[in-house]
Amino acid sequence: MYFVPLVGFHFLFAWSEDTAMPKKARPAGNGKEEGPVPCKRVKVEVADGLSTLNFDSPHDLFESLISPVKIDTFFKEFWEQKPLLIQRDDPALATYYQSLFRLTDLKSLCSRGMYYGRDVNVCRCVNGKKKVLNKDGKAHFLQLRKDFDQKRATIQFHQPQRFKDELWRIQEKLECYFGSLVGSNVYITPAGSQGLPPHYDDVEVFILQLEGEKHWRLYHPTVPLAREYSVEAEDRIGRPTHEFTLKPGDLLYFPRGTIHQADTPPGLAHSTHVTISTYQNNSWGDFLLDTISGLVFDAAKEDVALRAGIPRQLLLQAESTTVATRRLSGFLRMLAERLEGTKELLSSDMKKDFIMHRLPPYHVGDGTEPTIPGGELPRLDSTVSLQFRDHIILTVGPDQDQSDEAQEKMIYIYHSLKNKRDTHMMGSEEETESHGLRFPLSHMEALKQIWNSSAISVKDLKLTTDEEKESLVLSLWTECLIQVV
């Protein structure tokens, strides 16, 4: 066990003596599993000024969330590798965590129209299996409390950032920091009960303990960096590699694929924790699938070999032919060389999907949404700067208004300023509208100037005419993406 002294906190890095994730599944019962890691506590005094999160920037927010662990240490030693447990003796931070979501918040939320399945699940782990106790239709607080008290059921509340402003504030900053969607679920479990059986997830997980205490057990992954959720049988997972109890103000991180289960100790008050998760379908494999089609489309315009027909009846074969395999291998090598020799922005549906479905910027003050242009109108003699940088993406793709035969590349700028907070991470079946602008490729250098400068004079933009310069900045200003400084 490794401890780093810091006045104001006691914490530990909790991991098994294997410092890396196993490369393959370890069979249960082989006698090599590690025993529970004891959670020792360092007695230190609480220091002032260390108990609140820092929202000055996405980097500062994440740094304060995992404090006192340094960001470089986290990504070098823990991210996608092994669990991190931080236990704090900080009453002020515990009070702040408790304010994020309480059992009593359910009463006011239910009055706004919450539904079983969509917003709330009621469940309990029975004999190693999840038993769902949902009713039909709207969820009423009195019924939830009855199932909670009498059936010892766990209440799972989906995506509370839709309603709780401080969770919106935290998750919006984390989406900026990770460049990936960040969801959350709240779990409220009565004393002496367990809501879910042992399982693993396909997301990176951060647990914030809000109310009461929760007893956790972690196990070696059977599928490291898993791409799907799965329940695991007790006789398959072996002994815990980590075992500890979280209290308000504590934080736990573990990578996707980490098998885990948690229960509220008997004889105590109920437990409330929020699971903040990210990096679902955000791997190199996903990015490769996303970009390869664009590479092939562009290469086929220039290489006649890619436009040649495949052999007759190839699609009728029961297995790949040697000729087809060799040809595909050759094409892949050609695409790799082409990719290494380009600096073009990769056309990416992942980029668009992220920006379309993420949280809008957190609104402060009077809560006015930043979707109406304000301030001075930009002109040729103005100096402008980009705003909401972390909520904008710039990508290149075919002109969607032209036919397939005549498609030319355009620059697309998408943003999340007009996204709906109340549908975040809810998998809405309604088509999500993308918000943004498009420009011809000739505007690329001017856009890069705006993106790469803290401030730039409109007349210095690399465009042919003054009219083009004014039109560009006016379009960006209308979407609230730039301001006059």
Side-chain angles (χ1 to χ4, degrees):
M1 198 68 61
Y2 175 51
F3 295 88
V4 176
L6 181 72
V7 175
F9 290 90
H10 61 70
F11 72 101
L12 56 90
F13 301 108
W15 65 77
S16 59
E17 292 186 4
D18 284 340
T19 57
M21 302 284 282
K23 294 183 179 179
K24 58 183 179 180
R26 295 187 178 186
N30 61 6
K32 295 183 180 180
E33 298 93 340
E34 297 170 38
V37 176
C39 287
K40 300 179 180 178
R41 293 185 175 270
V42 181
K43 294 183 179 179
V44 294
E45 296 180 358
V46 177
D48 292 334
L50 295 175
S51 58
T52 57
L53 299 180
N54 184 345
F55 289 93
D56 289 346
S57 72
H59 177 277
D60 291 335
L61 182 276
F62 186 68
E63 186 174 55
S64 65
L65 188 68
I66 64 170
S67 175
V69 179
K70 300 299 182 183
I71 285 181
D72 288 347
T73 300
F74 175 78
F75 284 102
K76 182 179 179 180
E77 299 184 14
F78 300 99
W79 178 255
E80 295 189 331
Q81 299 174 65
K82 57 193 174 187
L84 167 65
L85 170 65
I86 303 176
Q87 295 185 299
R88 304 170 169 119
D89 276 332
D90 189 335
L93 184 61
T95 300
Y96 171 74
Y97 272 27
Q98 290 166 359
S99 73
L100 296 178
F101 200 103
R102 298 182 175 93
L103 171 61
T104 53
D105 289 334
L106 288 174
K107 186 173 184 179
S108 61
L109 288 171
C110 286
S111 68
R112 300 172 64 169
M114 300 295 117
Y115 288 83
Y116 286 102
R118 187 191 71 179
D119 303 298
V120 178
N121 273 339
V122 179
C123 59
R124 185 175 181 185
C125 179
V126 179
N127 298 323
K129 295 183 179 180
K130 177 181 176 181
K131 183 177 181 180
V132 179
L133 305 174
N134 287 353
K135 305 293 189 295
D136 293 327
K138 283 187 178 182
H140 299 282
F141 178 71
L142 291 179
Q143 181 63 54
L144 289 176
R145 193 62 201 250
K146 181 179 179 181
D147 290 338
F148 183 81
D149 292 332
Q150 298 181 6
K151 298 182 179 179
R152 320 306 297 160
T154 288
I155 301 171
Q156 178 189 21
F157 192 89
H158 300 310
Q159 311 303 338
Q161 71 276 7
R162 296 177 292 148
F163 309 102
K164 300 291 288 184
D165 285 354
E166 198 66 8
L167 284 173
W168 172 22
R169 189 183 183 195
I170 291 171
Q171 290 175 235
E172 181 260 325
K173 277 286 191 291
L174 290 178
E175 287 188 331
C176 293
Y177 183 73
F178 285 109
S180 176
L181 295 175
V182 175
S184 68
N185 284 313
V186 164
Y187 295 87
I188 310 173
T189 304
S193 185
Q194 179 170 334
L196 300 175
H199 67 280
Y200 60 78
D201 299 296
D202 59 346
V203 287
E204 301 296 303
V205 173
F206 296 87
I207 305 291
L208 280 61
Q209 185 66 25
L210 309 183
E211 294 182 306
E213 299 182 9
K214 202 68 174 283
H215 169 241
W216 285 82
R217 286 168 285 173
L218 308 183
Y219 306 80
H220 276 304
T222 52
V223 183
L225 301 183
R227 291 181 56 82
E228 59 186 5
Y229 168 93
S230 180
V231 173
E232 291 282 32
E234 290 271 8
D235 58 1
R236 173 176 163 81
I237 60 180
R239 295 166 55 194
T241 56
H242 312 75
E243 187 167 4
F244 46 82
T245 299
L246 294 182
K247 296 184 178 181
D250 292 349
L251 179 142
L252 168 65
Y253 158 79
F254 52 81
R256 54 193 185 276
T258 302
I259 302 169
H260 55 280
Q261 61 178 324
D263 61 273
T264 303
L268 300 176
H270 70 271
S271 163
T272 303
H273 76 263
V274 60
T275 297
I276 297 177
S277 57
T278 189
Y279 257 59
Q280 185 179 51
N281 300 328
N282 212 47
S283 68
W284 278 112
D286 295 304
F287 192 63
L288 180 62
L289 288 171
D290 188 44
T291 57
I292 195 70
S293 60
L295 285 171
V296 174
F297 183 85
D298 292 342
K301 288 183 176 181
E302 303 175 10
D303 192 334
V304 68
L306 283 170
R307 301 199 299 271
I310 61 176
R312 288 180 298 105
Q313 298 188 344
L314 177 62
L315 302 181
L316 300 178
Q317 302 299 318
E319 58 186 19
S320 297
T321 65
T322 301
V323 172
T325 301
R326 287 177 179 173
R327 291 285 281 175
L328 288 175
S329 296
F331 287 140
L332 288 173
R333 284 190 289 269
M334 179 271 291
L335 290 173
E337 293 174 358
R338 180 185 180 91
L339 180 61
E340 291 178 357
T342 184
K343 292 185 178 179
E344 290 186 13
L345 291 170
L346 297 176
S347 177
S348 172
D349 287 336
M350 286 177 68
K351 284 185 176 183
K352 184 177 178 181
D353 180 77
F354 168 53
I355 212 72
M356 286 173 58
H357 294 96
R358 62 172 301 187
L359 283 163
Y362 176 73
H363 308 148
V364 296
D366 60 3
T368 302
E369 296 187 16
T371 55
I372 302 175
E376 184 181 343
L377 188 74
R379 302 186 184 278
L380 186 63
D381 58 353
S382 300
T383 299
V384 299
S385 66
L386 196 67
Q387 59 180 355
F388 302 108
R389 181 184 299 272
D390 292 329
H391 284 267
I392 313 168
I393 62 162
L394 189 152
T395 187
V396 173
D399 189 345
Q400 298 169 0
D401 287 345
Q402 292 183 342
S403 64
D404 291 341
E405 293 79 9
Q407 277 187 337
E408 295 181 0
K409 286 186 177 180
M410 300 287 289
I411 302 169
Y412 289 89
I413 296 175
Y414 298 106
H415 63 80
S416 58
L417 273 59
K418 299 178 183 178
N419 286 6
K420 296 180 179 179
R421 171 192 175 192
D422 58 1
T423 59
H424 182 245
M425 300 296 290
M426 291 301 291
S428 175
E429 294 182 358
E430 298 179 4
E431 184 176 352
T432 303
E433 180 184 1
S434 59
H435 304 285
L437 302 164
R438 68 174 183 172
F439 299 97
L441 280 178
S442 59
H443 284 51
M444 179 62 80
E445 289 303 315
L447 288 167
K448 286 183 177 179
Q449 286 179 279
I450 297 173
W451 250 250
N452 297 330
S453 303
S454 57
I456 188 168
S457 173
V458 175
K459 64 176 178 291
D460 291 336
L461 294 175
K462 294 180 180 180
L463 287 170
T464 305
T465 67
D466 290 345
E467 288 77 13
E468 285 181 320
K469 297 174 184 179
E470 286 190 301
S471 177
L472 171 61
V473 296
L474 183 60
S475 296
L476 295 172
W477 179 83
T478 302
E479 288 288 302
C480 304
L481 303 183
I482 62 169
Q483 60 184 343
V484 176
V485 295

